[in-house]
Amino acid sequence: VYSSRLQLLGALVTEAGVQPECEGGLALEPVMKLAMEWFANRDAEVREHAVKLVACCFAHTGLARIEPYLSKLRHAQRKVFDAEFERASH
Protein backbone atom coordinates (compact mmCIF):
# COMPACT_ATOMS: atom_id res chain seq x y z
CA VAL A 1 0.00 0.00 0.00
CA TYR A 2 2.78 2.46 0.93
CA SER A 3 4.68 1.73 -2.27
CA SER A 4 1.60 2.39 -4.40
CA ARG A 5 0.94 5.67 -2.63
CA LEU A 6 4.54 6.75 -3.04
CA GLN A 7 4.45 5.86 -6.75
CA LEU A 8 1.24 7.86 -7.18
CA LEU A 9 2.75 10.87 -5.41
CA GLY A 10 5.86 10.56 -7.59
CA ALA A 11 3.70 10.56 -10.71
CA LEU A 12 1.80 13.62 -9.47
CA VAL A 13 5.01 15.49 -8.70
CA THR A 14 6.43 14.55 -12.10
CA GLU A 15 3.29 15.78 -13.89
CA ALA A 16 2.23 18.76 -11.78
CA GLY A 17 5.49 19.78 -10.09
CA VAL A 18 5.73 21.34 -6.65
CA GLN A 19 4.76 24.74 -5.31
CA PRO A 20 5.71 27.54 -5.68
CA GLU A 21 7.67 26.63 -8.83
CA CYS A 22 4.49 25.19 -10.34
CA GLU A 23 1.29 26.94 -9.26
CA GLY A 24 -0.87 23.82 -9.61
CA GLY A 25 1.75 21.54 -8.09
CA LEU A 26 1.84 19.74 -4.80
CA ALA A 27 3.03 21.44 -1.63
CA LEU A 28 6.65 20.44 -1.08
CA GLU A 29 6.66 20.24 2.72
CA PRO A 30 3.98 17.56 3.23
CA VAL A 31 5.32 15.50 0.32
CA MET A 32 8.86 15.57 1.68
CA LYS A 33 7.77 14.89 5.26
CA LEU A 34 5.80 11.87 4.11
CA ALA A 35 8.64 10.58 1.93
CA MET A 36 11.16 10.90 4.76
CA GLU A 37 8.79 9.26 7.24
CA TRP A 38 8.25 6.33 4.91
CA PHE A 39 11.98 6.11 4.16
CA ALA A 40 12.25 4.75 7.72
CA ASN A 41 9.97 1.84 6.81
CA ARG A 42 11.48 -1.62 7.22
CA ASP A 43 10.32 -2.70 3.75
CA ALA A 44 13.05 -2.10 1.15
CA GLU A 45 10.53 -1.47 -1.64
CA VAL A 46 8.84 1.28 0.39
CA ARG A 47 12.22 2.89 1.08
CA GLU A 48 13.12 2.69 -2.62
CA HIS A 49 9.91 4.45 -3.65
CA ALA A 50 10.42 7.09 -0.95
CA VAL A 51 13.85 7.84 -2.42
CA LYS A 52 12.37 8.07 -5.91
CA LEU A 53 9.69 10.47 -4.68
CA VAL A 54 12.33 12.70 -3.12
CA ALA A 55 14.25 12.56 -6.42
CA CYS A 56 11.12 13.73 -8.26
CA CYS A 57 10.95 16.71 -5.91
CA PHE A 58 14.67 17.30 -6.43
CA ALA A 59 14.16 17.36 -10.20
CA HIS A 60 11.68 20.24 -9.81
CA THR A 61 13.26 22.26 -7.02
CA GLY A 62 16.96 21.48 -6.88
CA LEU A 63 18.92 20.42 -3.83
CA ALA A 64 18.65 23.63 -1.81
CA ARG A 65 14.89 23.25 -1.24
CA ILE A 66 15.05 19.61 -0.13
CA GLU A 67 18.34 19.68 1.77
CA PRO A 68 16.70 20.51 5.13
CA TYR A 69 14.70 17.28 4.95
CA LEU A 70 17.87 15.25 4.39
CA SER A 71 19.89 16.74 7.23
CA LYS A 72 19.32 13.90 9.71
CA LEU A 73 20.34 11.08 7.39
CA ARG A 74 23.35 8.94 8.12
CA HIS A 75 26.15 9.06 5.54
CA ALA A 76 25.20 5.71 3.98
CA GLN A 77 21.56 6.78 3.69
CA ARG A 78 22.53 10.08 2.11
CA LYS A 79 24.59 8.25 -0.50
CA VAL A 80 21.42 6.41 -1.59
CA PHE A 81 19.65 9.73 -2.15
CA ASP A 82 22.64 11.32 -3.87
CA ALA A 83 22.86 8.39 -6.30
CA GLU A 84 19.16 8.79 -7.14
CA PHE A 85 19.64 12.55 -7.61
CA GLU A 86 22.44 11.79 -10.05
CA ARG A 87 20.10 9.50 -12.03
CA ALA A 88 17.34 12.12 -11.95
CA SER A 89 19.72 14.75 -13.34
CA HIS A 90 20.35 12.80 -16.55
Side-chain angles (χ1 to χ4, degrees):
V1 173
Y2 291 129
S3 290
S4 298
R5 290 178 182 176
L6 288 164
Q7 287 177 308
L8 177 59
L9 281 171
L12 289 170
V13 168
T14 299
E15 290 296 316
V18 292
Q19 299 171 354
E21 288 82 3
C22 298
E23 187 176 320
L26 279 69
L28 180 64
E29 184 174 352
V31 171
M32 286 298 301
K33 283 185 176 182
L34 185 71
M36 297 312 294
E37 178 183 326
W38 286 354
F39 180 68
N41 192 291
R42 62 187 171 116
D43 185 290
E45 184 179 359
V46 172
R47 290 192 309 272
E48 177 185 342
H49 288 293
V51 170
K52 289 182 179 186
L53 175 56
V54 172
C56 290
C57 293
F58 163 81
H60 283 277
T61 67
L63 188 57
R65 293 265 327 274
I66 62 169
E67 186 74 45
Y69 302 98
L70 307 176
S71 64
K72 296 181 181 175
L73 293 175
R74 294 187 312 270
H75 180 70
Q77 292 172 319
R78 179 58 191 257
K79 286 175 65 174
V80 171
F81 282 92
D82 288 341
E84 192 64 32
F85 298 158
E86 183 67 28
R87 281 191 284 281
S89 296
H90 289 63

